[in-house]
Structure formats: C-alpha cells, structure tokens
Amino acid sequence: MPELLVTVLTPCFNSGKTIEKTLECIEDQTYKNIEYIIIDGGSTDNTLELIERHRSRLPGRLTVISEKDQGIYDAMNKGIRLAKGRLIGIVNSDDNYEKDTVQQVVDHFCWNPYEVVYGMQRTYFDSREKAVVIYHHEFLPWQMITHPTCFVTKDTYEKFGVFDTRYRSAADYDLMLRCFKSGEVVFTPVYQVLSNFHLGGMSSSQTGVRENAQVRFRQGYLSKKKYWFIVIKSHLYEWLGSGRKETV
C-alpha cells in the first residue's frame, strides 16, 4: 500500500509574530509525506517574507496562496479544495503540532472513506498552560471536540460539505455536528496531545457563545426558548463587562 499523503492547511493574515513556530512544527514532523498549504489573506506585514525563508526546508511540499478572502473559514475552504491528501488537518498560524502529531494520526487512521481522527489538545492562555483535554465525540451535540486536533478525510468534506462562511467562529462546530448527525462518519480518538492551542479571539468571546447556540438550534439540538435564553444572557454578560470597564 502506498504511503498515505496528509495535507496540512494554515490560514493566516498578518501573522509575522507567530507563524514561524507553526512552520517549524511542520518541518519537524516525524512523518514526512505531508503536503503543506498556506492560505494567506493578503498580509501587509512580514508574514510572506518569513514563509519564503522556510520554503527550502519543505522542498516540494509547500504551496502558498496569498489573496484577499472573506475570513478564516473562506481561507480554509480554499485550502480544502486544493488539497490532494486523503487526510486534511488544519493548524492555525499561532498554534502548533507536536512533532509526532501526523504520525499518530496516520497510525490511528482506520481507512474509512468518511472519518475524523482527533486527539488531545494542550491549551494556553497568556502563554501559560491552562489545560490538556480531550472532548469525546459522543458529547458533540453539547460541546465541540478539539477541532485543532482534527484530521478529516477529503471524502468527508466532499460529501458533507466544507465550512459554512455565514459563521464567524462556529463553522467548525457546525461541520462536526453535520458529520455526527449523518451517522456515516467514523470518529477515531487518539489519546495523545496533538495540538497546542492558544486561547483567545472570537471562539472564546460572547459572539462565539451565541454562534455555538445558533448551530445547535439550527441542527435541532436546542429549543427556540433555550436558544433565546442563551442569546439574551450572552448579550447581558457583554453589557455588564463593558459597563465595568467604563467605570474603572
């Protein structure tokens, strides 16, 4: 059997302060049959210059697309369409994999056409380690599995669709719920740390809370009454938070 080709995608925009560590984590992978695709949103800092410095360390394996896009999920969708690998992983430009992440994924892959291999995630907040967790896929209706650890087959994307760009932060949750509801996608857990994730941004904001509730509501996991309770509560937290800041 030929060696499995794995595609790794990195969406980025003005990531000059963080992307080198991400590049290095791909260069250092113990598994080498990796196609690496970077989708840049038209950076105006030194992001592209840093990427070019690393090109020789990924000979014949690096593709860079730089153009304006409609946000991170649009960038991811572009990369998925370009991907040639049977498995596709996504590592953000301020995160990184363990050295054996891809090898662990390949070793655990069960060769199902519709499969998601996922593992444990080490989470950082303000550069300090916060937790090492794995959220099991059986709890997907109520909490997201650690998507930065997910490697999804190309066939899964082709059958069940890519990221819904209507969402700003919850399109990965929406995708995983679609896969889960189908009953056709096999979820394969890996009880090893695969991804190092830096907490912050949209996913940990009240906007993220509201979008997660919207995903569950649209897919039938949340009643209309409960959905609006979460939305109103989230807006109240935002209002109270902004009020406290104004009084400082």
Side-chain angles (χ1 to χ4, degrees):
M1 184 179 293
E3 190 178 33
L4 181 72
L5 176 63
V6 178
T7 299
V8 176
L9 309 175
T10 293
C12 66
F13 178 70
N14 287 346
S15 303
K17 293 181 179 179
T18 60
I19 198 168
E20 278 204 284
K21 191 168 185 179
T22 308
L23 287 159
E24 289 167 359
C25 87
I26 303 301
E27 296 161 6
D28 293 341
Q29 287 300 302
T30 57
Y31 188 87
K32 298 301 182 182
N33 196 25
I34 298 172
E35 172 193 49
Y36 188 36
I37 301 175
I38 298 176
I39 308 294
D40 176 73
S43 291
T44 55
D45 66 353
N46 64 337
T47 298
L48 293 171
E49 178 185 341
L50 290 171
I51 292 169
E52 287 305 314
R53 287 184 194 171
H54 286 256
R55 185 178 288 277
S56 63
R57 303 177 202 175
L58 293 162
R61 296 191 288 152
L62 175 63
T63 298
V64 182
I65 305 294
S66 183
E67 60 188 19
K68 289 185 178 180
D69 54 46
Q70 302 303 310
I72 190 168
Y73 293 122
D74 181 40
M76 291 177 181
N77 289 343
K78 287 181 184 180
I80 291 165
R81 287 191 289 270
L82 290 170
K84 297 183 178 68
R86 182 160 183 176
L87 278 170
I88 303 172
I90 300 173
V91 58
N92 292 325
S93 59
D94 55 352
D95 302 327
N96 61 285
Y97 288 149
E98 295 291 295
K99 289 185 178 182
D100 64 344
T101 288
V102 179
Q103 184 67 64
Q104 288 283 351
V105 169
V106 170
D107 289 346
H108 285 80
F109 180 45
C110 298
W111 293 86
N112 295 290
Y114 311 126
E115 185 171 350
V116 176
V117 184
Y118 69 99
M120 301 178 73
Q121 176 176 286
R122 182 181 292 107
T123 303
Y124 291 89
F125 184 74
D126 287 341
S127 300
R128 290 175 292 183
E129 185 175 322
K130 182 178 180 181
V132 175
V133 296
I134 185 169
Y135 296 112
H136 202 271
H137 66 275
E138 292 178 358
F139 298 102
L140 248 175
W142 311 115
Q143 65 182 19
M144 179 57 180
I145 59 176
T146 50
H147 191 267
T149 74
C150 289
F151 285 71
V152 181
T153 61
K154 176 91 169 182
D155 287 341
T156 299
Y157 284 117
E158 289 178 348
K159 180 163 185 177
F160 300 101
V162 292
F163 296 101
D164 187 338
T165 56
R166 290 178 298 175
Y167 296 109
R168 297 172 64 194
S169 72
D172 47 356
Y173 186 27
D174 171 71
L175 173 65
M176 288 297 108
L177 269 186
R178 275 185 271 140
C179 293
F180 181 77
K181 280 186 70 176
S182 75
E184 297 181 62
V185 179
V186 175
F187 287 83
T188 303
V190 179
Y191 296 99
Q192 300 284 341
V193 173
L194 301 183
S195 174
N196 297 289
F197 178 77
H198 293 268
L199 190 65
M202 190 70 70
S203 61
S204 56
S205 70
Q206 290 302 316
T207 298
V209 170
R210 291 192 291 271
E211 282 203 353
N212 286 347
Q214 188 177 52
V215 167
R216 291 197 294 272
F217 172 65
R218 285 178 171 172
Q219 298 209 30
Y221 289 108
L222 200 64
S223 68
K224 190 173 184 179
K225 182 178 179 180
K226 183 66 173 177
Y227 166 65
W228 281 111
F229 173 78
I230 293 171
V231 169
I232 292 168
K233 183 179 177 182
S234 171
H235 280 297
L236 181 62
Y237 280 157
E238 274 187 341
W239 180 75
L240 290 172
S242 62
R244 283 196 296 270
K245 290 177 184 176
E246 290 171 0
T247 59
V248 171

